[in-house]
Amino acid sequence: MNWFWLLLIIAVVIIDIMTSNILFSWLGLGFLAAWLSSFYLDLSYQILIAFLIGFASILAGNRITKRYIRKNIHNDPILVDKIVGKSFIADHIIELESQHKINGIYWIVRNEGSRILEGETFSVLEIRQNKLIIRKEEH
């Protein structure tokens, strides 16, 4: 029965490599303990050990992993955070609604201010549904 626990350990490592979740590897600690106990104990005790240690490892390991990720991995702003509040130059006249290329992506922009002429600057106020809400910057 030793091979069964080794196969489960290999399976959880492969799943974690494929998903980059690191959750299942903690379960592998329970399988490792069950594998070590398989030399001395019956199958029912091995399963109990795998369940208890695996469950405790998932609870403790998930907390450790979240704390590590929060502390050490920088959270880059998503696309929305890079656009809202920024100023851009109009490459054509924008009256009410128009298509405009911003940061290499074509957006539908809705102007909630006065008419924006080519070369004038506007700022992105918010994103509503899939449209950028803009307003001409007054200097």
Short mmCIF file of all heavy atoms in Angstrom, two decimals, residues 62-87:
data_model
loop_
_atom_site.label_atom_id
_atom_site.label_comp_id
_atom_site.label_asym_id
_atom_site.label_seq_id
_atom_site.Cartn_x
_atom_site.Cartn_y
_atom_site.Cartn_z
N ASN A 62 -2.48 27.37 4.27
CA ASN A 62 -3.19 28.40 3.53
C ASN A 62 -2.99 29.76 4.18
O ASN A 62 -2.80 30.77 3.51
CB ASN A 62 -4.67 28.04 3.45
CG ASN A 62 -5.35 28.70 2.29
OD1 ASN A 62 -4.72 29.19 1.36
ND2 ASN A 62 -6.67 28.74 2.34
N ARG A 63 -3.02 29.80 5.51
CA ARG A 63 -2.78 31.05 6.22
C ARG A 63 -1.35 31.54 5.99
O ARG A 63 -1.11 32.73 5.77
CB ARG A 63 -3.02 30.88 7.71
CG ARG A 63 -4.47 30.77 8.06
CD ARG A 63 -4.68 30.77 9.55
NE ARG A 63 -6.09 30.58 9.85
CZ ARG A 63 -6.54 29.83 10.83
NH1 ARG A 63 -5.70 29.22 11.62
NH2 ARG A 63 -7.82 29.71 11.02
N ILE A 64 -0.40 30.63 6.08
CA ILE A 64 1.01 30.99 5.86
C ILE A 64 1.21 31.52 4.45
O ILE A 64 1.85 32.54 4.23
CB ILE A 64 1.92 29.78 6.13
CG1 ILE A 64 1.90 29.42 7.61
CG2 ILE A 64 3.34 30.04 5.66
CD1 ILE A 64 2.54 28.08 7.92
N THR A 65 0.63 30.83 3.48
CA THR A 65 0.78 31.24 2.08
C THR A 65 0.16 32.61 1.83
O THR A 65 0.76 33.46 1.17
CB THR A 65 0.12 30.19 1.16
OG1 THR A 65 0.69 28.91 1.43
CG2 THR A 65 0.34 30.52 -0.30
N LYS A 66 -1.05 32.85 2.34
CA LYS A 66 -1.69 34.15 2.14
C LYS A 66 -0.88 35.27 2.77
O LYS A 66 -0.72 36.33 2.19
CB LYS A 66 -3.11 34.14 2.73
CG LYS A 66 -4.11 33.43 1.87
CD LYS A 66 -5.49 33.51 2.48
CE LYS A 66 -6.50 32.78 1.62
NZ LYS A 66 -7.84 32.82 2.22
N ARG A 67 -0.36 35.02 3.97
CA ARG A 67 0.44 36.04 4.65
C ARG A 67 1.71 36.33 3.85
O ARG A 67 2.10 37.48 3.68
CB ARG A 67 0.79 35.56 6.06
CG ARG A 67 1.33 36.66 6.93
CD ARG A 67 1.55 36.22 8.38
NE ARG A 67 0.40 35.51 8.93
CZ ARG A 67 0.48 34.37 9.62
NH1 ARG A 67 1.66 33.83 9.86
NH2 ARG A 67 -0.59 33.80 10.09
N TYR A 68 2.34 35.30 3.33
CA TYR A 68 3.56 35.48 2.54
C TYR A 68 3.27 36.25 1.26
O TYR A 68 3.98 37.18 0.91
CB TYR A 68 4.17 34.11 2.19
CG TYR A 68 5.34 34.23 1.25
CD1 TYR A 68 6.60 34.57 1.73
CD2 TYR A 68 5.19 34.04 -0.11
CE1 TYR A 68 7.67 34.70 0.87
CE2 TYR A 68 6.25 34.17 -0.97
CZ TYR A 68 7.49 34.50 -0.48
OH TYR A 68 8.54 34.64 -1.34
N ILE A 69 2.19 35.88 0.57
CA ILE A 69 1.84 36.55 -0.69
C ILE A 69 1.52 38.01 -0.44
O ILE A 69 1.96 38.90 -1.17
CB ILE A 69 0.67 35.82 -1.38
CG1 ILE A 69 1.16 34.49 -1.95
CG2 ILE A 69 0.06 36.67 -2.48
CD1 ILE A 69 0.07 33.60 -2.50
N ARG A 70 0.73 38.29 0.60
CA ARG A 70 0.37 39.67 0.91
C ARG A 70 1.60 40.51 1.23
O ARG A 70 1.68 41.67 0.86
CB ARG A 70 -0.59 39.68 2.10
CG ARG A 70 -1.72 40.66 1.92
CD ARG A 70 -2.71 40.63 3.07
NE ARG A 70 -3.51 39.41 3.08
CZ ARG A 70 -3.64 38.62 4.14
NH1 ARG A 70 -3.06 38.92 5.28
NH2 ARG A 70 -4.36 37.54 4.08
N LYS A 71 2.57 39.92 1.90
CA LYS A 71 3.74 40.67 2.35
C LYS A 71 4.80 40.80 1.25
O LYS A 71 5.43 41.84 1.12
CB LYS A 71 4.36 39.98 3.56
CG LYS A 71 5.50 40.76 4.19
CD LYS A 71 6.16 39.99 5.32
CE LYS A 71 5.20 39.80 6.47
NZ LYS A 71 5.82 39.09 7.61
N ASN A 72 5.00 39.78 0.43
CA ASN A 72 6.16 39.73 -0.46
C ASN A 72 5.87 39.90 -1.94
O ASN A 72 6.80 40.12 -2.71
CB ASN A 72 6.91 38.42 -0.26
CG ASN A 72 7.45 38.31 1.14
OD1 ASN A 72 7.91 39.29 1.71
ND2 ASN A 72 7.40 37.12 1.70
N ILE A 73 4.64 39.76 -2.36
CA ILE A 73 4.34 39.84 -3.79
C ILE A 73 3.60 41.14 -4.06
O ILE A 73 2.52 41.38 -3.52
CB ILE A 73 3.54 38.62 -4.26
CG1 ILE A 73 4.40 37.37 -4.08
CG2 ILE A 73 3.12 38.78 -5.72
CD1 ILE A 73 3.75 36.10 -4.48
N HIS A 74 4.21 41.97 -4.91
CA HIS A 74 3.64 43.28 -5.23
C HIS A 74 2.41 43.12 -6.11
O HIS A 74 2.41 42.37 -7.07
CB HIS A 74 4.69 44.13 -5.94
CG HIS A 74 4.21 45.50 -6.30
ND1 HIS A 74 3.87 46.44 -5.34
CD2 HIS A 74 3.99 46.09 -7.50
CE1 HIS A 74 3.47 47.54 -5.95
NE2 HIS A 74 3.53 47.35 -7.25
N ASN A 75 1.36 43.84 -5.79
CA ASN A 75 0.12 43.79 -6.53
C ASN A 75 0.10 44.93 -7.55
O ASN A 75 -0.11 46.08 -7.18
CB ASN A 75 -1.06 43.90 -5.56
CG ASN A 75 -2.38 43.63 -6.23
OD1 ASN A 75 -2.42 43.21 -7.38
ND2 ASN A 75 -3.46 43.86 -5.52
N ASP A 76 0.33 44.61 -8.81
CA ASP A 76 0.32 45.63 -9.85
C ASP A 76 -1.11 46.07 -10.14
O ASP A 76 -2.04 45.27 -10.10
CB ASP A 76 0.93 45.09 -11.15
CG ASP A 76 2.42 44.87 -11.03
OD1 ASP A 76 3.05 45.62 -10.26
OD2 ASP A 76 2.95 43.98 -11.70
N PRO A 77 -1.29 47.35 -10.42
CA PRO A 77 -2.64 47.82 -10.74
C PRO A 77 -3.14 47.20 -12.04
O PRO A 77 -2.36 46.97 -12.96
CB PRO A 77 -2.47 49.34 -10.89
CG PRO A 77 -1.02 49.57 -11.07
CD PRO A 77 -0.30 48.41 -10.47
N ILE A 78 -4.41 46.93 -12.07
CA ILE A 78 -4.99 46.37 -13.28
C ILE A 78 -5.20 47.49 -14.29
O ILE A 78 -5.03 48.66 -13.99
CB ILE A 78 -6.31 45.62 -12.97
CG1 ILE A 78 -7.32 46.55 -12.33
CG2 ILE A 78 -6.05 44.41 -12.11
CD1 ILE A 78 -8.68 45.93 -12.11
N LEU A 79 -5.60 47.14 -15.48
CA LEU A 79 -5.77 48.09 -16.58
C LEU A 79 -6.66 49.26 -16.18
O LEU A 79 -6.36 50.41 -16.48
CB LEU A 79 -6.33 47.37 -17.80
CG LEU A 79 -6.57 48.22 -19.03
CD1 LEU A 79 -5.26 48.76 -19.56
CD2 LEU A 79 -7.29 47.44 -20.09
N VAL A 80 -7.74 48.98 -15.49
CA VAL A 80 -8.68 50.03 -15.10
C VAL A 80 -7.99 51.07 -14.22
O VAL A 80 -8.16 52.27 -14.39
CB VAL A 80 -9.89 49.41 -14.36
CG1 VAL A 80 -10.80 50.48 -13.82
CG2 VAL A 80 -10.65 48.49 -15.29
N ASP A 81 -7.17 50.61 -13.28
CA ASP A 81 -6.48 51.53 -12.38
C ASP A 81 -5.44 52.38 -13.10
O ASP A 81 -5.07 53.44 -12.62
CB ASP A 81 -5.80 50.76 -11.25
CG ASP A 81 -6.80 50.04 -10.37
OD1 ASP A 81 -7.95 50.52 -10.27
OD2 ASP A 81 -6.45 49.01 -9.79
N LYS A 82 -4.97 51.90 -14.24
CA LYS A 82 -3.98 52.66 -15.00
C LYS A 82 -4.62 53.74 -15.87
O LYS A 82 -3.93 54.63 -16.35
CB LYS A 82 -3.17 51.71 -15.90
CG LYS A 82 -2.29 50.76 -15.14
CD LYS A 82 -1.57 49.85 -16.10
CE LYS A 82 -0.70 48.85 -15.35
NZ LYS A 82 -0.04 47.92 -16.26
N ILE A 83 -5.93 53.69 -16.08
CA ILE A 83 -6.61 54.62 -16.97
C ILE A 83 -7.41 55.68 -16.20
O ILE A 83 -7.35 56.86 -16.51
CB ILE A 83 -7.54 53.86 -17.94
CG1 ILE A 83 -6.70 53.00 -18.89
CG2 ILE A 83 -8.42 54.81 -18.72
CD1 ILE A 83 -7.52 52.13 -19.81
N VAL A 84 -8.17 55.25 -15.19
CA VAL A 84 -9.05 56.18 -14.47
C VAL A 84 -8.21 57.23 -13.76
O VAL A 84 -7.24 56.94 -13.09
CB VAL A 84 -9.94 55.42 -13.46
CG1 VAL A 84 -10.74 56.38 -12.62
CG2 VAL A 84 -10.86 54.45 -14.19
N GLY A 85 -8.61 58.50 -13.96
CA GLY A 85 -7.91 59.62 -13.34
C GLY A 85 -6.75 60.16 -14.16
O GLY A 85 -6.16 61.17 -13.80
N LYS A 86 -6.42 59.53 -15.25
CA LYS A 86 -5.30 59.97 -16.09
C LYS A 86 -5.80 60.89 -17.20
O LYS A 86 -6.96 60.90 -17.57
CB LYS A 86 -4.60 58.76 -16.73
CG LYS A 86 -4.06 57.76 -15.73
CD LYS A 86 -2.88 58.32 -14.97
CE LYS A 86 -2.19 57.27 -14.17
NZ LYS A 86 -2.35 57.29 -12.77
N SER A 87 -4.86 61.66 -17.75
CA SER A 87 -5.18 62.59 -18.84
C SER A 87 -4.63 62.05 -20.15
O SER A 87 -3.56 61.44 -20.19
CB SER A 87 -4.55 63.95 -18.57
OG SER A 87 -5.08 64.51 -17.40
#
